[in-house]
Amino acid sequence: METVQEKNAYQASSQGYYGTFGGAFIPEMLYPNVEELRENYLQIISAPSFKKEYDDLLKNYVGRPTPLYHANRLSEKYGTNIYLKREDLCHTGAHKVNNTIGQILLAQKLGKKRVVAETGAGQHGVATATVCALMDIECIVYMGELDIERQAPNVARMKMLGAEVRPATCGSRTLKDATNEAMRHWINNPVDTHYIIGSVVGPHPYPDMVARFQSVISEEIKWQLKEQTGKENPDYVIACVGGGSNAAGAFYHYLDDLDTKLVAVEAAGQGISSGHSAATTALGTPGVLHGSRTILMQTEDGQVVEPFSISAGLDYPGIGPQHAYLYESGRGTFLSATDEEAVAAAFELTKLEGIIPALETSHALAILNRLGATTSETVVINLSGRGDKDMATYMKYIN
Ligand SMILES: *Cc1c(COP(=O)(O)O)cnc(C)c1O
């Protein structure tokens, strides 16, 4: 994790701004909670005792460092040198636990007795319920009533882990409604509750805090690539973007290394102009979403447009404010892949390398044929998660 003074043009200012994006646009009722976090988070997470606990859990509980694997057959197919950062091998099957481990330790230091979270597909809910079980902290996860029906296995996991899953019954009964309920809960229980947000979104300091917890990904890539190739900077780092936490972690230590191109891949759903898409930078405009100024999909009068993607983790109408800035400044290259392209890429990786990726991750793999990387170049793809949770979808494509 970086400490405050270091870096730089693409990191959050002290008020949480990345250019004109970021900040904390919150109702007054939420102000004391967010302010308590903002005042304390840097000091707490940069203390040596915190780092020691965090690193120890990442090593012995999560299973870090995750391997950096040179994918021979995939490299041959695309005529370049491809390395896979294996976040799919983390405990619970994805990168999300890097963040929930950090936040549960932070909650403990702040003296919180209870954790609240929102979840869409249930992946962040499971990662949160996991660390709450580990630390014996009460856990309440809000989930849209419709999502509870659609994601039964993750609901069962959260309950088995001891979490209380509370249905959000208003509106479209999905993620946005669960977020509203979780916020309301936090407002009503400011003293004893910590709210664990699952991506680099929300009011400052969440985007910066979550990016710091995920930055272990690029910290490891640097020394692992150096060990394997003699050079710590690849030509490209590629990651999928829902809210953007796995990408933020994979990009973090490369932000100032301008010889490394940062490629973010969004979900185009059924196609960018199909009306069923989640390609935020292609379709969105600046505005405020979930407490920060960013780019989001909205109508002319500012109504959030319902996103669509085959992958639940990318089905989000915005991106984190840092990504909005990487897009606007040109530091990041933003591409998108359709549902169909993602599924094809998942089957290709599975056949070539014996690794079944998550549907989210498959979007990052799907742009390899458009990247234009040469035989002398090096590409790192952040393999954000494993595909076990997506087997019901993949099965529809197996005959
Ligand atoms: C949740 C999830 C994502 C999307 O979230 P980000 O915050 O954009 O990383 C991507 N991949 C996997 C495997 C996920 O579970």
Side-chain angles (χ1 to χ4, degrees):
M1 277 177 289
E2 289 302 324
T3 46
V4 68
Q5 311 84 343
E6 301 169 55
K7 316 221 168 170
N8 76 39
Y10 302 101
Q11 298 290 11
S13 70
S14 59
Q15 295 304 310
Y17 278 92
Y18 306 85
T20 63
F21 298 111
F25 297 81
I26 48 173
E28 204 169 330
M29 301 273 282
L30 211 54
Y31 187 80
N33 309 35
V34 173
E35 189 58 16
E36 181 190 26
L37 255 192
R38 190 187 69 76
E39 278 176 358
N40 293 297
Y41 83 110
L42 282 176
Q43 201 192 338
I44 291 175
I45 71 180
S46 50
S49 60
F50 182 96
K51 282 190 166 179
K52 188 172 175 302
E53 265 180 281
Y54 179 67
D55 291 347
D56 185 67
L57 282 170
L58 287 189
K59 180 174 174 212
N60 298 311
Y61 185 71
V62 173
R64 305 202 71 91
T66 58
L68 182 71
Y69 164 68
H70 181 251
N72 279 303
R73 297 185 64 207
L74 194 68
S75 297
E76 203 169 295
K77 161 107 204 229
Y78 289 100
T80 187
N81 303 292
I82 302 172
Y83 290 81
L84 304 176
K85 180 57 173 161
R86 300 289 311 273
E87 294 301 294
D88 60 313
L89 296 177
C90 288
H91 178 46
T92 69
H95 66 289
K96 285 194 173 72
V97 72
N98 301 326
N99 170 45
T100 57
I101 291 270
Q103 288 207 45
I104 200 78
L105 290 175
L106 181 78
Q108 281 183 325
K109 306 290 175 219
L110 288 170
K112 305 294 178 184
K113 302 280 176 273
R114 185 190 300 131
V115 154
V116 61
E118 83 295 329
T119 196
Q123 293 304 111
H124 173 56
V126 169
T128 302
T130 298
V131 297
C132 287
L134 180 68
M135 299 300 180
D136 192 21
I137 285 185
E138 185 188 348
C139 181
I140 298 170
V141 180
Y142 285 93
M143 191 168 184
E145 202 171 38
L146 191 66
D147 289 333
I148 289 180
E149 282 166 28
R150 293 191 293 196
Q151 311 289 343
N154 275 342
V155 175
R157 279 186 193 107
M158 286 184 270
K159 288 185 175 168
M160 188 164 170
L161 288 159
E164 184 190 337
V165 180
R166 290 194 187 164
T169 55
C170 296
S172 55
R173 300 177 296 141
T174 58
L175 178 61
K176 135 179 100 50
D177 313 292
T179 306
N180 291 338
E181 293 293 334
M183 289 266 179
R184 200 165 301 149
H185 184 104
W186 199 27
I187 289 171
N188 291 330
N189 301 270
V191 179
D192 63 353
T193 302
H194 175 67
Y195 180 18
I196 299 192
I197 293 183
S199 190
V200 284
V201 300
H204 179 63
Y206 280 102
D208 182 53
M209 181 168 74
V210 176
R212 284 169 191 263
F213 288 140
Q214 293 293 357
S215 71
V216 64
I217 298 172
S218 49
E219 191 182 308
E220 289 175 5
I221 294 172
K222 281 209 159 185
W223 64 256
Q224 290 173 318
L225 199 63
K226 176 125 199 221
E227 208 171 74
Q228 294 181 45
T229 70
K231 238 176 66 163
E232 62 179 30
N233 289 5
D235 297 284
Y236 301 88
V237 176
I238 309 175
C240 65
V241 172
S245 67
N246 88 87
F251 295 170
Y252 197 95
H253 291 282
Y254 291 110
L255 288 168
D256 293 325
D257 298 338
L258 302 182
D259 51 342
T260 298
K261 295 187 189 72
L262 307 176
V263 181
V265 186
E266 298 181 315
Q270 296 172 357
I272 287 176
S273 26
S274 66
H276 300 275
S277 179
T280 303
T281 56
L283 296 168
T285 48
V288 171
L289 179 67
H290 295 146
S292 70
R293 184 170 188 276
T294 187
I295 297 173
L296 68 141
M297 291 164 38
Q298 57 186 331
T299 61
E300 264 171 40
D301 47 2
Q303 296 283 73
V304 175
V305 171
E306 205 60 47
F308 180 89
S309 166
I310 192 172
S311 114
L314 303 185
D315 198 354
Y316 185 68
I319 49 175
Q322 184 181 41
H323 291 296
Y325 185 58
L326 294 178
Y327 172 72
E328 189 197 59
S329 65
R331 177 67 187 97
T333 302
F334 283 70
L335 304 174
S336 65
T338 63
D339 293 351
E340 212 172 291
E341 291 168 333
V343 170
F347 278 85
E348 180 178 83
L349 183 74
T350 305
K351 292 232 168 74
L352 289 177
E353 301 289 349
I355 297 170
I356 302 178
L359 267 168
E360 291 83 1
T361 315
S362 305
H363 289 73
L365 297 158
I367 60 91
L368 277 170
N369 58 359
R370 292 180 252 158
L371 192 65
T374 65
T375 49
S376 61
E377 290 185 313
T378 301
V379 178
V380 173
I381 302 175
N382 196 34
L383 217 74
S384 58
R386 67 177 85 127
D388 307 31
K389 69 182 178 58
D390 298 314
M391 285 315 297
T393 305
Y394 290 147
M395 275 160 71
K396 294 182 193 151
Y397 296 85
I398 298 169
N399 37 39

